[in-house]
């Protein structure tokens, strides 16, 4: 698979996948607008296939793998990417294996199995995930699939609300999704600002401005989708170019408040990682931002999850 | 306020209120269709103003009260009707008092106060609610507002999906909403069946078929919106005429399963009473039903609510 990034390839990915991907709705809430003091548009990726934006990239990769006559596809994941790839592989008719750290939530593992993926457990460390995955890929002759190329969301957002927004707020973890969005917006609509919202321990601004990495490997945050502390090496220069001044750090209690507000006001059962992006708007929106689009990245949360 | 029921008055109520009421979306889920073995359409009244269908009738009543130069409006409620009337009164510019049993959930009381209602507490019995409310209404000179005339949903449903459905499933409590829907559908589209879904303890079929009332006043059910065991005397003949053969009784664990399925599959944070209607489809759908519309009546559930 290519690791280049170009508007053309992202457009091709969008065209390749659009018939099987939901064009997710945008929601609004007067009460939330009043509270924030600005217009807020919510892009509902928790209503995407498999409950997160990851379905976009996983489907693109599965289709390409199929075209290249792969025997199957494989990934390591404790959550949304694994479910997305399992679904995508089933859609294109390829076998799929997901390497899962053995402490992964049971509901997510069940989700993968429902789409007929073979689940292989490993130790809950990145090195065990990577080595087990590489070994299995070799043995099975499957294509390895990274979370990758979910940029089709940008074309959709611009069609749905391009005239209504001055900014996009998204939660940043490994940086692949953030880099895709920042790159496309930077090329197609440079007047729109892209804000990267992070748990404060990550301190991405210190990396982008001063080259200093976060000391931890893993962040201690309720936003389980962005616990990986470091952004990928391919993403870093893109984020540096487009988002050095637009990193927003939030506290854990701000994520919880944002989650409560969305659950109670919009009745959307999003996951904490999606609330992280909204917390950036709710507590740290710069004054000049008047029309913010918040990407609600996913809704895969256990039925017994409560906000502590 | 009139207690008659007619298609014309329901249409007038719809026209009177439609500019301030959401035309709520209909959602579908392939996974749920597969599980049920039929098409299921969800009418999303949890996305209605104030988080339940009660906003429809409350607004109609508040507008009529305003036209009749009422000094204010008053109701007794532990939940959705109170929030709906508080909102509606604020919209039309009337003062509003809600009599609330003192064991009502705090979040619902807060909801009423947010819309500037005066909240008066009473004992948690129907007689205390009614007497306190009558006393206050007299003293203040306010119009008393029953939950009433939410039938505008039927016109909406027929416009949105009239050609796509063979049945409607709704949760039945005091019977006002059920009677409105059954009456309108019976007059406008008698080919569509209206199913009344109840917690099994209610045994509404025994009333409609044999005239035998449920022995309890209050049902022991997680569906807190339909704990009132008896249907109103004005509703009973309507339900008898249209729904004698279409009462569906469900068990508590079936409500819980239905709630889990909707939370996880659709990411919609509906309340247990809304899940009750879906439980009727999920576990008790007659074989000839192929295209069911389920009314998700509300989404007002505390942030710390868990499915036991």
């Amino acid at each position: 698979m290519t690791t280049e990034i170009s508007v053309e390839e992202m457009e091709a990915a969008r065209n390749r996948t659009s018939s099987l991907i939901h064009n997710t709705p945008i929601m609004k809430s007067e009460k939330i607008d009043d509270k924030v003091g600005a217009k807020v548009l919510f892009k509902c990726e928790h209503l995407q296939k498999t409950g997160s934006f990851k379905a976009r990239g996983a489907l693109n990769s599965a289709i390409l793998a199929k075209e290249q006559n792969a025997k199957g596809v494989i990934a390591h994941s404790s959550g949304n990417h694994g479910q997305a790839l399992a679904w995508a592989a089933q859609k294109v008719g390829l076998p799929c294996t997901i390497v899962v750290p053995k402490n992964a939530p049971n509901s997510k593992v069940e989700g993968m199995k429902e789409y007929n993926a073979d689940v292989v457990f490993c130790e809950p460390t990145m090195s065990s995930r990577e080595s087990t995955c590489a070994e299995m890929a070799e043995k099975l002759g499957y294509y390895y699939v990274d979370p990758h190329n979910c940029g089709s969301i940008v074309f959709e957002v611009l069609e749905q609300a391009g005239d209504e927004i001055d900014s996009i707020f998204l939660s940043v973890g490994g940086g692949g999704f953030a880099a895709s969005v920042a790159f496309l917006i930077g090329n197609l609509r440079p007047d729109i600002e892209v804000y990267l919202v992070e748990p404060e321990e990550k301190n991405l601004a210190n990396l982008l401005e001063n080259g200093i990495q976060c000391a931890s490997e893993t962040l201690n945050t309720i936003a389980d989708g962005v616990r990986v502390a470091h952004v990928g090496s391919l993403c870093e220069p893109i984020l540096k170019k487009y988002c050095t001044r637009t990193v927003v750090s939030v506290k854990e209690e701000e994520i919880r408040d944002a989650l409560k507000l969305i659950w109670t006001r919009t009745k959307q059962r999003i996951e904490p990682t999606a609330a992280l992006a909204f917390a950036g708007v709710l507590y740290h929106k710069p004054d000049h931002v008047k029309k913010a689009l918040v990407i609600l990245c996913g809704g895969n949360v256990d039925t017994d999850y409560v906000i502590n």
Side-chain angles (χ1 to χ4, degrees), chain A residues 20-162:
Chain A
L20 292 172
I21 285 289
H22 287 312
N23 194 331
T24 57
I26 285 178
M27 288 193 184
K28 302 172 191 180
S29 157
E30 277 176 28
K31 280 271 169 190
I32 286 178
D33 288 355
D34 290 349
K35 207 165 170 101
V36 168
K39 287 261 172 216
V40 182
L41 287 74
F42 293 106
K43 175 67 172 168
C44 295
E45 286 294 292
H46 63 295
L47 303 179
Q48 189 49 270
K49 290 284 181 187
T50 75
S52 86
F53 74 91
K54 301 268 190 190
R56 297 174 180 273
L59 181 63
N60 183 54
S61 296
I63 291 171
L64 291 174
K66 181 81 176 178
E67 285 174 7
Q68 291 159 34
N69 298 312
K71 284 194 211 163
V73 287
I74 186 168
H76 57 85
S77 165
S78 60
N80 288 339
H81 177 54
Q83 284 176 279
L85 187 62
W87 165 79
Q90 194 181 47
K91 277 285 168 200
V92 305
L94 279 180
C96 174
T97 295
I98 309 291
V99 174
V100 178
K102 63 187 182 191
N103 64 348
N106 197 43
S107 64
K108 301 214 166 167
V109 177
E110 290 306 314
M112 297 169 196
K113 287 180 181 168
E114 256 188 66
Y115 297 113
N116 289 327
D118 290 317
V119 173
V120 174
F121 290 96
C122 69
E123 295 303 311
T125 62
M126 196 46 80
S127 64
S128 171
R129 285 168 61 151
E130 286 173 349
S131 64
T132 311
C133 194
E135 218 170 84
M136 293 290 303
E138 168 95 33
K139 187 173 125 195
L140 295 164
Y142 284 7
Y143 278 35
Y144 169 70
V145 176
D146 243 345
H148 187 70
N149 206 342
C150 297
S152 63
I153 194 174
V154 171
F155 301 105
E156 251 179 61
V157 161
L158 294 180
E159 287 163 11
Q160 290 174 302

Side-chain angles (χ1 to χ4, degrees), chain A residues 30-305:
Chain A
E30 277 176 28
K31 280 271 169 190
I32 286 178
D33 288 355
D34 290 349
K35 207 165 170 101
V36 168
K39 287 261 172 216
V40 182
L41 287 74
F42 293 106
K43 175 67 172 168
C44 295
E45 286 294 292
H46 63 295
L47 303 179
Q48 189 49 270
K49 290 284 181 187
T50 75
S52 86
F53 74 91
K54 301 268 190 190
R56 297 174 180 273
L59 181 63
N60 183 54
S61 296
I63 291 171
L64 291 174
K66 181 81 176 178
E67 285 174 7
Q68 291 159 34
N69 298 312
K71 284 194 211 163
V73 287
I74 186 168
H76 57 85
S77 165
S78 60
N80 288 339
H81 177 54
Q83 284 176 279
L85 187 62
W87 165 79
Q90 194 181 47
K91 277 285 168 200
V92 305
L94 279 180
C96 174
T97 295
I98 309 291
V99 174
V100 178
K102 63 187 182 191
N103 64 348
N106 197 43
S107 64
K108 301 214 166 167
V109 177
E110 290 306 314
M112 297 169 196
K113 287 180 181 168
E114 256 188 66
Y115 297 113
N116 289 327
D118 290 317
V119 173
V120 174
F121 290 96
C122 69
E123 295 303 311
T125 62
M126 196 46 80
S127 64
S128 171
R129 285 168 61 151
E130 286 173 349
S131 64
T132 311
C133 194
E135 218 170 84
M136 293 290 303
E138 168 95 33
K139 187 173 125 195
L140 295 164
Y142 284 7
Y143 278 35
Y144 169 70
V145 176
D146 243 345
H148 187 70
N149 206 342
C150 297
S152 63
I153 194 174
V154 171
F155 301 105
E156 251 179 61
V157 161
L158 294 180
E159 287 163 11
Q160 290 174 302
D163 298 338
E164 288 179 65
I165 60 173
D166 58 24
S167 53
I168 294 174
F169 285 72
L170 57 85
S171 303
V172 60
F177 182 58
S180 301
V181 174
F183 175 84
L184 276 176
I185 291 291
N187 278 273
L188 299 173
R189 282 290 302 274
D191 58 308
I192 295 174
E193 292 183 300
V194 176
Y195 286 88
L196 311 181
V197 190
E198 62 171 10
E200 58 180 351
E201 186 188 353
K202 190 182 188 88
N203 204 348
L204 184 59
N206 206 20
L207 175 69
L208 301 183
E209 285 173 31
N210 311 314
I212 299 171
Q213 280 281 10
C214 174
S216 317
E217 282 280 327
T218 305
L219 306 177
N220 185 16
T221 172
I222 61 163
D224 57 292
V226 295
R227 288 199 180 128
V228 50
H230 301 158
V231 297
S233 54
L234 297 168
C235 309
E236 190 180 325
I238 298 170
L239 298 181
K240 198 175 162 73
K241 176 169 177 187
Y242 294 104
C243 302
T244 295
R245 306 279 164 207
T246 52
V247 175
V248 175
S249 294
V250 308
K251 296 185 197 310
E252 290 299 300
E253 63 262 34
E254 294 171 341
I255 304 174
R256 279 192 284 267
D257 285 353
L259 187 54
K260 282 183 193 170
L261 201 58
I262 291 183
W263 277 18
T264 54
R265 285 295 167 199
T266 73
K267 318 299 181 192
Q268 300 306 296
R269 215 173 128 77
I270 58 161
E271 56 185 80
T273 310
L276 170 64
F278 177 52
V281 177
L282 186 58
Y283 288 103
H284 304 280
K285 182 190 75 58
D287 284 345
H288 68 272
V289 167
K290 302 293 180 205
K291 297 171 286 182
L293 182 128
V294 173
I295 298 177
L296 297 179
C297 56
N300 291 323
V301 50
D302 288 355
T303 50
D304 60 355
Y305 179 83

